[in-house]
Amino acid sequence: MQAVRTPPARAVVRHFVLGLLSAWLLAAGGAQAVTADPLPGDVSTLVAQAVAFEHGEGVGRDPDKAAELYCEASRAGSAEAMYSLGWMFANGRGVARNDDYAATLFEMAMAKGHAGAEKARRMAGEYTGAVPDCLLPRARDKGFAARDTWDTQKYLASLPEQKKKMVELITTLAPRFSIEPRLALAIATTESNFDPNATSPKNAMGVMQLIPETASRFNVKDSYDPVQNIKGGLAYLRWLLAYYQGNVALAVAGYNAGEGAVDRYRGVPPYKETQNYVRRILTFFQRHDHPFDARVVGASPALQAFKAVGQ
């Protein structure tokens, strides 16, 4: 049988995908070439964790968590992660079926030299270039990297094993909510010391210590599920940063005491617990301002009063 030549259109597509992959890797600060070379250990670990959660191997089956980990590894250049995430979308396995996403992910895996991706790509249908949201370039992430050069790996190495998983989750998820990881980690360590089973006398639950009202407000169904809990806490923190236009002290005071109390007192409430909480956060995250997304919520009506008194 005569060999089938790759049509010019496919060659253009693959050139585009290679360029896109290169841009992602450079934006992430990595110098890894777009090849099928072995990946660094941390990315290989992400893929292994994703496989475990996808198939329930040694952990509870959690397709949502698997997809998140595959996305993170795909952004770092893992062909295996691209291929596996493509199959999740192609089969609606734990995510909404999306053949356009599958075709793009298989094309990306092909560009990286994945052996099985070409057959899967032929089955996926027409290529459109559509990608899931988690693979869209994030301009805000680069801003965080430029402002906060803190050594996460050094911090991880200082922690006991049982805390490392929570820290890795927070570090991975925080930029997706436009939160600098060190601020998110400051909240988590102060709230629960990274204990996913923590419960306070006020019925605050999990890593980010969500009370039932906050959990409901940010669509957290199970506050003891670390991923749901962390996402809920990050969503609330993103909301507070927008509400207080990047003022870290007011945002974290709101996280501890509620934005109602901060507005009522026109600043950090005069509660010893809240004042100590804010002081501890600012010791770990030594900046008083943080980027915020004004589209999330309008500014606090009392913000002018805060500015007038120098908060």
Side-chain angles (χ1 to χ4, degrees):
M1 180 183 292
Q2 185 177 4
V4 178
R5 293 182 178 274
T6 302
R10 170 60 61 79
V12 171
V13 166
R14 295 193 70 178
H15 177 76
F16 169 77
V17 171
L18 281 165
L20 185 61
L21 284 166
S22 297
W24 280 340
L25 291 170
L26 288 172
Q32 183 181 353
V34 183
T35 69
D37 294 340
L39 291 161
D42 56 343
V43 180
S44 298
T45 298
L46 278 177
V47 176
Q49 290 173 343
V51 170
F53 282 116
E54 182 184 3
H55 300 288
E57 298 174 352
V59 293
R61 187 171 179 273
D62 190 337
D64 183 61
K65 189 177 297 184
E68 288 180 359
L69 291 167
Y70 280 139
C71 256
E72 192 68 21
S74 294
R75 285 178 62 84
S78 167
E80 187 61 36
M82 297 165 191
Y83 176 74
S84 297
L85 186 58
W87 271 116
M88 291 186 75
F89 280 111
N91 294 284
R93 196 161 61 210
V95 295
R97 178 172 175 170
N98 191 310
D99 291 338
D100 290 344
Y101 291 171
T104 300
L105 286 157
F106 291 143
E107 191 77 42
M108 290 165 61
M110 284 175 60
K112 290 278 291 180
H114 190 284
E118 186 169 2
K119 181 178 179 181
R121 172 66 189 86
R122 289 199 299 268
M123 297 169 58
E126 184 178 356
Y127 173 88
T128 67
V131 294
D133 288 347
C134 65
L135 291 183
L136 292 173
R138 298 183 179 93
R140 292 189 190 93
D141 291 4
K142 291 190 287 185
F144 296 153
R147 296 190 62 177
D148 196 346
T149 56
W150 178 56
D151 190 341
T152 308
Q153 293 304 314
K154 184 177 180 180
Y155 177 67
L156 272 171
S158 71
L159 296 172
E161 287 299 321
Q162 66 269 24
K163 294 183 181 180
K164 287 183 179 178
K165 183 178 178 181
M166 295 302 104
V167 171
E168 287 169 345
L169 271 175
I170 293 166
T171 303
T172 297
L173 292 171
R176 301 180 189 177
F177 289 82
S178 300
I179 304 294
E180 293 191 10
R182 180 154 43 168
L183 177 57
L185 290 169
I187 296 285
T189 190
T190 304
E191 289 286 349
S192 71
N193 200 20
F194 306 114
D195 182 358
N197 300 309
T199 305
S200 80
K202 297 178 181 178
N203 203 26
M205 296 170 280
V207 178
M208 304 296 281
Q209 289 288 276
L210 303 180
I211 60 173
E213 293 83 354
T214 304
S216 176
R217 179 178 169 187
F218 292 97
N219 301 311
V220 176
K221 306 299 183 187
D222 180 1
S223 289
Y224 292 109
D225 176 271
V227 173
Q228 289 188 45
N229 184 283
I230 291 166
K231 284 183 175 180
L234 291 171
Y236 185 33
L237 185 55
R238 175 176 60 186
W239 188 95
L240 288 164
L241 284 165
Y243 189 61
Y244 294 118
Q245 296 194 328
N247 185 309
V248 176
L250 297 178
V252 300
Y255 196 98
N256 177 261
E259 64 271 15
V262 176
D263 286 352
R264 185 165 61 253
Y265 285 102
R266 298 177 178 270
V268 177
Y271 310 148
K272 185 175 181 180
E273 176 192 336
T274 302
Q275 292 181 347
N276 288 338
Y277 182 91
V278 172
R279 191 176 301 113
R280 183 172 179 183
I281 298 296
L282 291 176
T283 298
F284 193 82
F285 183 77
Q286 297 179 353
R287 286 211 320 274
H288 292 275
D289 68 295
H290 187 290
F292 66 94
D293 186 344
R295 297 170 298 178
V296 173
V297 66
S300 163
L303 198 58
Q304 289 305 317
F306 302 151
K307 291 177 179 178
V309 298
Q311 289 282 346

